[in-house]
Amino acid sequence: MPSLVSEYAAGTLFGAALFAAGVFAPSTIVAQMKLEDFTMVKAMLGASATSALVVHLADSANLAAMKPRTPQSIGFFPYDGNIVGGAMIGIGMALTGACPGTVFVQAGAGLPSGIFVLGGGILGGLLFVSAQPAIARLRESSGSSSSSEAVTKTELTVPKSMGISPRIVVAMWEIMCFGMLQLLSGLESPSTGTRALVSPVLGGLLIGTAQACTIALTRHTVGTSGAFEDVGRWLRNVCSGDATKGPITASVMFDAGIMSASALLARFLLPAAVTQVSSQLVTPTVAIAGGAVMAFGSRLAGGCTSGHGISGMATFSWASLVSVGSMFAAGVLTAALR
């Protein structure tokens, strides 16, 4: 099992990459959902293209078994948890200007809204842990567990379900990401009040490089939302009178690394005044509520923009493709209706 120090080190590298790319700014994320600014999508495409290569090479070299994300079921059909959970993440992103990964960058950098969203995320983790028994009963009563296992064995990823070589899918993915970046390159992003340290594409490459470092250090891909569930479970146990096991887990240490790196970079490389301006889009009430919805959804979907969007899509997992599609569909709709 990877050490907590390795998790923390990997988190600092991932947090530094997110910070450098500028995708943590609430104004940037909200503008993305309004389809006014494509900085976030450009960075995700760069990160996804790089991560796909990294994950494929790590798997081929037997450095680590790159397990794809599995279908998450509420109890109706195999991917309903991915759809509902992904939609909840998208709604939370449009409301808060954060995602389950960038919220740790925001909080570390000192953005007021980020701190409130983080608090809401912890609340969402507690709510999810409390709801888990009911979700499990619903799954058992509908018999969806067995159907999810069947999907897991035969149709977990695009290459397996279509009978295509993973190398061919990787090559097609690289071409698609490059083509989409070319199409988006002509779209100028308006100023959102926060200066990124690098371009979105270079930021995506840095995020993909952080993915490689994470695999080397921890033998698993990046993911950030597990900490909400871990802390929520600890809080539930404390409320029940059981405080024997603390909240320090691998996921919590990874996210602590993100916050630490962001705090240092914000202090020395980004003016505090610019950081504060980017956070004025979100009120504390909306931040807490949106954070709770977002964190609950990320655990219901079994991943977030990092776990599904960067890592899961790099393995060509159907669950990740469904989750990310639901995120952006719900996020764009929510932004349009606000």
Side-chain angles (χ1 to χ4, degrees):
M1 179 179 178
S3 71
L4 295 180
V5 174
S6 297
E7 296 287 349
Y8 181 82
T12 61
L13 296 173
F14 187 62
L18 290 176
F19 186 96
V23 293
F24 70 93
S27 51
T28 298
I29 295 174
V30 171
Q32 175 62 71
M33 291 306 177
K34 291 181 178 180
L35 303 181
E36 297 173 350
D37 183 316
F38 291 89
T39 297
M40 182 180 179
V41 166
K42 291 177 183 177
M44 286 190 69
L45 286 170
S48 183
T50 310
S51 290
L53 287 174
V54 167
V55 166
H56 179 70
L57 290 174
D59 203 33
S60 300
N62 295 319
L63 177 62
M66 298 290 100
K67 297 179 181 179
R69 300 280 167 160
T70 56
Q72 300 297 307
S73 176
I74 299 173
F76 301 100
F77 55 91
Y79 292 100
D80 55 359
N82 297 104
I83 294 173
V84 176
M88 292 177 72
I89 296 171
I91 292 170
M93 289 171 65
L95 292 176
T96 66
C99 71
T102 61
V103 65
F104 295 103
V105 181
Q106 293 178 2
L111 275 69
S113 68
I115 296 171
F116 284 110
V117 176
L118 180 57
I122 293 173
L123 173 62
L126 176 60
L127 292 173
F128 176 76
V129 170
S130 302
Q132 275 184 316
I135 296 172
R137 287 193 297 270
L138 183 58
R139 287 171 179 164
E140 291 174 2
S141 64
S142 64
S144 66
S145 296
S146 58
S147 62
S148 293
E149 290 174 1
V151 170
T152 300
K153 292 177 180 178
T154 61
E155 302 175 352
L156 197 59
T157 65
V158 173
K160 285 186 178 180
S161 63
M162 294 187 173
I164 306 174
S165 167
R167 293 183 180 181
I168 294 176
V169 178
V170 169
M172 293 174 63
W173 188 257
E174 299 303 312
I175 294 171
M176 187 201 73
C177 289
F178 180 78
M180 291 185 68
L181 284 171
Q182 287 296 105
L183 288 174
L184 294 173
S185 63
L187 298 176
E188 292 294 331
S189 298
S191 176
T192 57
T194 299
R195 176 178 57 85
L197 300 180
V198 298
S199 69
V201 176
L202 181 54
L205 294 177
L206 290 176
I207 293 170
T209 302
Q211 174 80 274
C213 294
T214 298
I215 293 172
L217 287 168
T218 68
R219 298 298 188 269
H220 63 71
T221 53
V222 299
T224 59
S225 63
F228 293 117
E229 183 176 344
D230 292 343
V231 175
R233 181 170 290 106
W234 173 72
L235 289 174
R236 185 199 60 182
N237 292 340
V238 169
C239 293
S240 301
D242 179 13
T244 56
K245 188 176 181 181
I248 307 302
T249 64
S251 295
V252 170
M253 289 301 293
F254 185 88
D255 293 340
I258 296 176
M259 292 182 67
S260 299
S262 303
L264 288 174
L265 290 174
R267 179 178 177 83
F268 294 108
L269 296 179
L270 193 66
V274 176
T275 306
Q276 299 297 332
V277 167
S278 299
S279 188
Q280 293 174 359
L281 290 171
V282 187
T283 65
T285 302
V286 171
I288 293 172
V293 170
M294 187 167 60
F296 190 103
S298 69
R299 301 320 303 149
L300 191 64
C304 59
T305 44
S306 299
H308 277 309
I310 298 175
S311 298
M313 290 182 69
T315 63
F316 311 114
S317 161
W318 283 114
S320 294
L321 291 169
V322 171
S323 298
V324 173
S326 299
M327 284 180 209
F328 279 96
V332 170
L333 180 60
T334 301
L337 294 176
R338 288 192 70 184

